[in-house]
Amino acid sequence: MSQPKRARESRISRTAAMSLMVLLAIYFLLPVYFLIVASTKPQADLVSTFGLWFSHFDIVHNLKTLFTVRDGVFGRWAVNSVVYAVLGAAVGTLISALCGYALAKFRFRGRNFLFSVILGGVLVPSTALALPLFLLFSAAGLVDTYWAVFLPSIVSPFGVYLARIFASAAVPDELIESARLDGAGEFRTFFSVSFKLMTPSLVTIFLFQFVGIWNNFFLPLVMLQQEKLFPITLGLYEWNGQSSRVSLLQGSVITGSLVSIVPLIILFLLLQRFWRTGLAAGSLK
Amino acid sequence: MTDEKSGRRRRLRGGGPRAGTIAAFLTPFYLPFLLFYLVPVGYALWQSFRVVRRTGGQFGHAYTTFGGFDQYLQVFRNAEFGGSLGRIALFGIVQVPVMLFVALIMALLLDTPLLRAKGFFRIAAFMPYAVPGVIAAIMWSFLYSPQLSPVVDLLNGIGVSPDFLGPGTVLWSAANISTWCWTGYNMLIMFSALQSIPPELYEAAKIDGASNWAIAWRIKVPIIAPSIILTTVFSIIGTLQLYSEPAVLRQISSNISSTYTPNMLAYAVASGNNYQQAAAISVTIAVITFVLSFGFLKLTAKRAGL
């Protein structure tokens, strides 16, 4: 192939590749852009003005409405989501770390079996468990309580899977051995030596579990009756169902949706490299 | 912490902590895992073999008893179950390949020198992962709604009047929401796999004059086949669990019934307090999921020689 022909061809493929990616980026960003524009508009303008451009910039008023309508129940939902996600992910990360570390670093009988049970668990989607959990929790009288959403959320087989990979990679056996020779107990070794070495990977585990709980919808839908226990996802779903009758709620559904995704998008932009670690580990066979 | 004696005894046994210590590390995870993963599955299985009977006539009091496969026979006789299964089969056969193909193309392009602003494209594609499925569905339902949607406005402007919520289109509107949510996630899994290929593997082909295109399809794609298989399995599982997208679209479209997907059916049946039947539906979905995902793994593992 002659040089000029090759150069022209690569210019064409470069343009084609860029155009395709730009189109796809528009596709991915469009709904969020629409949401940002819509949450700045007064209710009446939602229908009467073009959706992809600003009219009256009224976001402060919309936020005020969002947090005061229906006795300010949205604020309660936001707090619930934060509590479910932060506490659930924190407890979940800790127990995943302990378990993954033990599976990676201690030799004992039944270790492979215990690990393959976890691999099986990774393949079980949380939606599939929600109804069986409901049956069990209603027998135990736990339905419609904070516990009904919180307790199942702390279990993350994927977290243990990641913790095991990260523990084998980040904590050298010699270090554990020398801590043992110094007379340190296993828990002291874990919290004072291994935990620090594993910290970056624990952030990854925390993030994945945080997003999983924050985005959870089916479990709270199945478990909760009382509005004051709802996370944001379930609350907005209920409002969205009522907004065809109560048109005042439509604006609050839009502003509320924006409020619910902003913290996650920020978290995700700030902590990009941790996501990549987790996804790379997920792609290993 | 440990006294001399037990320390020495441990070392004599070949090092490593005692069984009690190991259990203390494992129990905080395995106990909730048992209670909130395994026991519910067992309980649902048990429930699915129970039936509600009545003593005497219609006014007798109800009691549950062993019913064999009665609940499962009822699941298979239920036309709504068959209908919902057919619907998501159609959904999956179209949506999963389209989504994974787009994800693969994006990952391959991001792995070539053809693009600028790669970081931006990566973030743009992965951003939907940060959006809860329900919120994504609510956002898209605004874009589908004839009153609010700027997309409908634009299409009307060029003389097309789309109906995203019609009987023939609403399934694909739901499929679009799933595609929007998960393409970037799958793309990043494939992209991470591409990044871990050592460049020497295709440097030789490049020197021999192979085009980027040929390198991508003949060398890179076969190497990342395990990741593609993994994303396919996750997508099959996700499709069988489909709930929030159609449930949200149901709020604005009369073309989605309360039993549109198997999971919606299970939820509707459970809301009617028929727990045994709901359990049998849940177990049936789980078995189908298991058979399909493992079947797919077996099939591809053989063909890919893994």
Side-chain angles (χ1 to χ4, degrees), chain A residues 126-167:
Chain A
S126 58
T127 329
L129 288 168
L131 276 178
L133 267 171
F134 169 79
L135 300 179
L136 191 73
F137 278 19
S138 65
L142 279 173
V143 167
D144 207 20
T145 62
Y146 271 113
W147 297 111
V149 174
F150 178 77
L151 288 175
S153 305
I154 63 171
V155 186
S156 165
F158 185 59
V160 179
Y161 171 78
L162 288 179
R164 181 175 172 270
I165 295 177
F166 295 144

Side-chain angles (χ1 to χ4, degrees), chain A residues 1 6 10 13-14 17-18 20-22 24-25 27-32 34-35 46-47 49-52 92 95-96 98-99 101-103 106-108 114-115 117-118 121-129 131-139 151-152 154-158 160 177 180-181 183-188 190 208 211-212 214-215 217-218 221-222 232-234 236-238 240-242 244 250 253-254 256-258 260-261 264-265 268-269 272 275-276 279-280 282-285, chain B residues 1-2 10-11 15-18 21-22 24-26 28-30 32-33 35-41 43-44 47 102 105-107 109-110 113-117 119-135 138-143 147-151 153-154 176-177 179-181 183-185 188-193 206 209-211 226-227 230 233-234 237 241 243-244 247-248 251-252 263 266-267 270 275-276 278-279 282 286 289 293-294 297 301 306:
Chain A
M1 212 187 286
R6 196 159 189 173
S10 92
S13 43
R14 201 162 286 174
M18 271 310 265
L20 180 66
M21 288 304 262
V22 168
L24 285 166
Y27 169 70
F28 289 119
L29 297 176
L30 181 80
V32 176
F34 166 79
L35 197 66
L46 285 175
V47 179
T49 61
F50 182 58
L52 295 179
I95 64 178
S96 295
L98 283 168
C99 184
Y101 173 81
L103 288 173
F106 300 159
R107 334 238 139 248
F108 54 91
L114 282 178
F115 185 60
V117 173
I118 286 179
V122 172
L123 289 177
V124 179
S126 58
T127 329
L129 288 168
L131 276 178
L133 267 171
F134 169 79
L135 300 179
L136 191 73
F137 278 19
S138 65
L151 288 175
I154 63 171
V155 186
S156 165
F158 185 59
V160 179
E177 210 42 61
R180 273 180 198 149
L181 289 175
E186 295 297 335
F187 277 100
R188 216 174 105 196
F190 176 77
F208 271 89
V211 170
W214 188 274
N215 293 359
F217 163 66
F218 197 59
L221 172 77
V222 165
I232 288 184
T233 46
L234 182 56
L236 288 178
Y237 171 77
E238 294 285 327
N240 194 48
Q242 296 162 21
S244 51
Q250 192 165 52
V253 171
I254 290 173
S257 297
L258 184 68
S260 81
I261 63 176
L264 283 200
I265 292 180
F268 147 83
L269 288 177
Q272 267 195 72
W275 295 108
R276 243 173 289 152
L279 287 167
S283 72
L284 297 173
K285 246 198 107 193
Chain B
M1 286 224 20
T2 39
R10 256 195 290 155
R11 239 163 285 142
R18 272 170 300 187
T21 315
I22 295 175
F25 272 86
L26 297 176
F29 177 81
Y30 277 100
F33 181 68
L35 289 176
F36 310 127
Y37 257 72
L38 303 180
V39 173
V41 171
Y43 187 71
Q47 282 279 324
V102 174
I105 298 287
M106 289 185 84
L109 284 177
L110 284 170
L114 290 173
L115 294 177
R116 261 171 294 167
F120 166 75
F121 290 126
R122 243 191 357 239
I123 292 173
F126 189 49
M127 190 266 319
Y129 180 71
V131 178
V134 197
I135 305 297
I138 291 176
M139 280 178 358
W140 276 102
S141 66
F142 291 132
L143 294 176
Q147 289 90 37
L148 288 180
S149 172
V151 177
D153 282 352
L154 286 174
N176 172 57
I177 302 174
T179 307
W180 185 82
C181 287
T183 303
Y185 177 82
L188 273 196
I189 290 183
M190 295 178 195
F191 180 70
S192 308
K206 215 175 240 171
S211 63
S227 297
L230 185 86
V233 169
F234 280 133
I237 296 173
Q241 300 303 323
Y243 185 90
S244 34
V248 169
Q251 296 176 326
I252 56 164
N263 246 335
Y267 179 76
Y275 295 162
Q276 294 77 18
S282 291
T289 310
S293 48
F294 275 80
L297 275 177
L306 298 169

Side-chain angles (χ1 to χ4, degrees), chain A residues 1-14:
Chain A
M1 212 187 286
S2 62
Q3 278 309 323
K5 193 178 168 200
R6 196 159 189 173
R8 193 170 61 229
E9 211 175 65
S10 92
R11 202 164 49 238
I12 293 171
S13 43
R14 201 162 286 174

Side-chain angles (χ1 to χ4, degrees), chain B residues 20-286:
Chain B
T21 315
I22 295 175
F25 272 86
L26 297 176
T27 314
F29 177 81
Y30 277 100
L31 184 66
F33 181 68
L34 179 77
L35 289 176
F36 310 127
Y37 257 72
L38 303 180
V39 173
V41 171
Y43 187 71
L45 262 175
W46 183 73
Q47 282 279 324
S48 71
F49 287 103
R50 313 280 296 171
V51 286
V52 178
R53 298 252 153 82
R54 285 180 184 284
T55 55
Q58 251 194 311
F59 301 104
H61 69 90
Y63 65 100
T64 60
T65 177
F66 180 73
F69 284 93
D70 277 13
Q71 297 290 358
Y72 290 95
L73 283 176
Q74 216 176 310
V75 173
F76 288 111
R77 279 201 214 106
N78 186 345
E80 284 179 326
F81 183 74
S84 68
L85 211 56
R87 216 167 279 127
I88 57 157
L90 182 63
F91 178 104
I93 288 168
V94 176
Q95 190 264 338
V96 173
V98 168
M99 169 180 70
L100 294 180
F101 183 72
V102 174
L104 179 63
I105 298 287
M106 289 185 84
L108 287 170
L109 284 177
L110 284 170
D111 197 46
T112 62
L114 290 173
L115 294 177
R116 261 171 294 167
K118 287 181 184 180
F120 166 75
F121 290 126
R122 243 191 357 239
I123 292 173
F126 189 49
M127 190 266 319
Y129 180 71
V131 178
V134 197
I135 305 297
I138 291 176
M139 280 178 358
W140 276 102
S141 66
F142 291 132
L143 294 176
Y144 294 150
S145 134
Q147 289 90 37
L148 288 180
S149 172
V151 177
V152 174
D153 282 352
L154 286 174
L155 288 172
N156 282 339
I158 57 165
V160 184
S161 44
D163 177 10
F164 291 116
L165 305 168
T169 49
V170 75
L171 183 68
W172 308 116
S173 297
N176 172 57
I177 302 174
S178 298
T179 307
W180 185 82
C181 287
W182 295 104
T183 303
Y185 177 82
N186 290 313
M187 182 275 283
L188 273 196
I189 290 183
M190 295 178 195
F191 180 70
S192 308
L194 284 171
Q195 296 269 288
S196 61
I197 302 176
E200 302 89 69
L201 275 177
Y202 42 83
E203 219 95 278
K206 215 175 240 171
I207 293 166
D208 288 349
S211 63
N212 277 323
W213 188 254
I215 292 173
W217 291 108
R218 303 244 176 85
I219 301 176
K220 290 180 179 173
V221 171
I223 294 179
I224 63 160
S227 297
I228 299 174
I229 292 169
L230 185 86
T231 52
T232 313
V233 169
F234 280 133
S235 307
I236 292 174
I237 296 173
T239 303
L240 282 153
Q241 300 303 323
L242 201 64
Y243 185 90
S244 34
E245 292 89 344
V248 169
L249 290 183
R250 181 174 149 74
Q251 296 176 326
I252 56 164
S253 168
S254 55
N255 291 308
I256 293 186
S257 64
S258 63
T259 59
Y260 199 73
T261 70
N263 246 335
M264 288 173 79
L265 173 67
Y267 179 76
V269 170
S271 316
N273 286 333
N274 192 348
Y275 295 162
Q276 294 77 18
Q277 179 63 21
I281 295 171
S282 291
V283 172
T284 309
I285 301 171

